[in-house]
Amino acid sequence: MNECLRQLVETFGPSGHEHRVRALIADLVGGHVDELRTDAMGNLVALKRGDGTGQRLMLAAHMDEIGLMASYIDEKGFVRVQPIGGVSPWLEVGGRVQFQNGSLGVVSHDKLGHGEAVPPMEKLFIDVGAASRQDCPVGLGDVACFVQPMVQVGGLLTAKAMDDRVGCAVLIETLRRLAATPHDCYVVFSAQEEVGTRGAVTAAYGVAPDVGLAVDVTLAGDVPEPAVRMATALGAGPAIKVKDGGMIATPWVKDWMIDVAQAEGLPWQLEVLPGGTTDARAIQTSRDGVPAGCLSIPCRYVHSPSETVSPADLGHAVDLLVAMLRRPLPR
Ligand code: CO
Ligand code: ZN
């Protein structure tokens, strides 16, 4: 799975521009599903058919990553930007980014004002090595994301876009290992999550599932002084979401995950996240409501160029999902 994850995280795919990630995933799951289609929003919907005795499940992981969009090119060829998704300017500074056309750039910022510790978005610019506006290889509306190879740091893996290519990798591996299931499993690799779960909104409407699950990252509380005090830790198993900023997980769906993890002897932990949300919220609030939950991969430094996870958590997430999908639902 690590090689699959490397390909996924190193691929370009800011929100609304997921086509390269989509093509890669289509390649990786092609032989393991019964149907594969791309919808108008850019979601990739893979169907693994059940034996007719189960229910209709939607599993979602988002393909897009945060990024920057060129909003103004000055006369010297420096590029001003607007954020795509939850971009923190101070995590961008000094980073290297790449545009869709391959142009590379360095992110820096204007002189800070008195008492200004962090550059506001308006002070960020990308230096693409151009001498003038005419010479600039980037045009208005072009999008960029971090360029960063995945590396191993001790026993951990670090890369840009772990949020949420780890979720994609987990669902790809789940499809590969799931030989037979009673359920019609619609695995949605969703578009535009980082700008408001937009892909999952329409995919959930289209799939109309009986139950939904998202697989996404969550914050890890096991750093020296975490910004958010949380019980989650890398390597302690996938985290079963109780709530986040946009959703209270449907209790029986949360319990379903816990019960199967316990039955299989798999490590798991609980996640109570104060802010943020996932595609599970979009599924839960679609149509007249759908029971939904989320399996999270604890991740340090989310939305930075060095999002960091434990490979053990990914493996255990796959083990848990495969075990869940092979059984009848608890209701
Ligand atoms: Co995110
Ligand atoms: Zn995410």
Side-chain angles (χ1 to χ4, degrees):
M1 184 160 49
N2 286 7
E3 195 40 49
C4 163
L5 181 61
R6 173 190 303 281
Q7 289 177 40
L8 287 164
V9 294
E10 291 181 0
T11 299
F12 173 95
S15 309
H17 300 78
E18 299 90 355
H19 46 282
R20 289 183 195 162
V21 184
R22 189 165 58 237
L24 173 61
I25 295 175
D27 240 30
L28 292 167
V29 300
H32 305 272
V33 295
D34 299 301
E35 274 177 30
L36 199 56
R37 66 183 174 84
T38 300
D39 70 14
M41 285 293 284
N43 299 302
L44 179 68
V45 183
L47 168 60
K48 167 91 182 161
R49 244 185 258 289
D51 63 12
T53 66
Q55 300 190 50
R56 199 175 171 89
L57 267 48
M58 173 169 163
L59 295 102
H62 66 91
M63 296 184 288
D64 62 311
E65 66 190 289
I66 59 165
L68 299 169
M69 181 180 282
S71 54
Y72 183 78
I73 320 283
D74 74 15
E75 51 298 333
K76 289 181 176 165
F78 290 95
V79 181
R80 296 287 163 170
V81 290
Q82 288 179 21
I84 298 175
V87 172
S88 303
W90 63 281
L91 292 175
E92 301 279 324
V93 173
R96 297 166 191 184
V97 296
Q98 185 161 37
F99 287 87
Q100 192 173 312
N101 66 9
S103 301
L104 293 165
V106 178
V107 183
S108 195
H109 62 89
D110 302 339
K111 182 180 177 195
L112 298 182
H114 185 67
E116 211 172 31
V118 171
M121 205 66 212
E122 311 79 68
K123 289 197 170 178
L124 283 194
F125 59 79
I126 303 177
D127 182 348
V128 292
S132 67
R133 183 181 285 146
Q134 290 68 34
D135 183 42
C136 185
V138 169
L140 286 189
D142 287 358
V143 291
C145 61
F146 292 121
V147 259
Q148 189 89 298
M150 184 174 86
V151 293
Q152 197 173 328
V153 175
L156 306 176
L157 294 173
T158 291
K160 61 104 171 157
M162 286 292 189
D163 174 12
D164 184 28
R165 309 283 161 74
V166 287
C168 296
V170 163
L171 289 181
I172 291 165
E173 189 63 20
T174 299
L175 280 171
R176 285 176 165 172
R177 282 197 14 213
L178 187 67
T181 169
H183 311 291
D184 284 341
C185 299
Y186 289 82
V187 177
V188 175
F189 299 96
S190 63
Q192 297 192 39
E193 189 273 352
E194 295 288 357
V195 291
T197 67
R198 294 175 194 170
V201 166
T202 60
Y205 185 91
V207 170
D210 298 314
V211 187
L213 282 179
V215 182
D216 205 335
V217 299
T218 189
L219 303 182
D222 60 347
V223 289
E225 291 188 33
V228 173
R229 193 173 290 273
M230 282 181 71
T232 43
L234 265 55
I240 295 168
K241 190 185 293 289
V242 182
K243 70 144 301 247
D244 60 25
M247 179 182 82
I248 293 165
T250 306
W252 75 259
V253 178
K254 169 190 60 113
D255 292 339
W256 171 36
M257 289 190 267
I258 294 172
D259 291 346
V260 175
Q262 281 176 338
E264 296 284 323
L266 293 168
W268 59 279
Q269 48 188 329
L270 287 176
E271 173 204 357
V272 183
L273 181 70
T277 199
T278 70
D279 283 344
R281 175 203 164 91
I283 302 171
Q284 193 182 42
T285 56
S286 68
R287 292 184 176 255
D288 51 358
V290 175
C294 179
L295 190 63
S296 299
I297 306 297
C299 181
R300 294 178 185 164
Y301 327 122
V302 172
H303 288 192
S304 84
S306 299
E307 298 179 328
T308 301
V309 300
S310 163
D313 293 336
L314 306 192
H316 289 131
V318 174
D319 293 342
L320 176 55
L321 288 169
V322 169
M324 287 166 63
L325 298 178
R326 282 184 181 157
R327 306 166 188 231
L329 294 188
R331 66 164 74 180

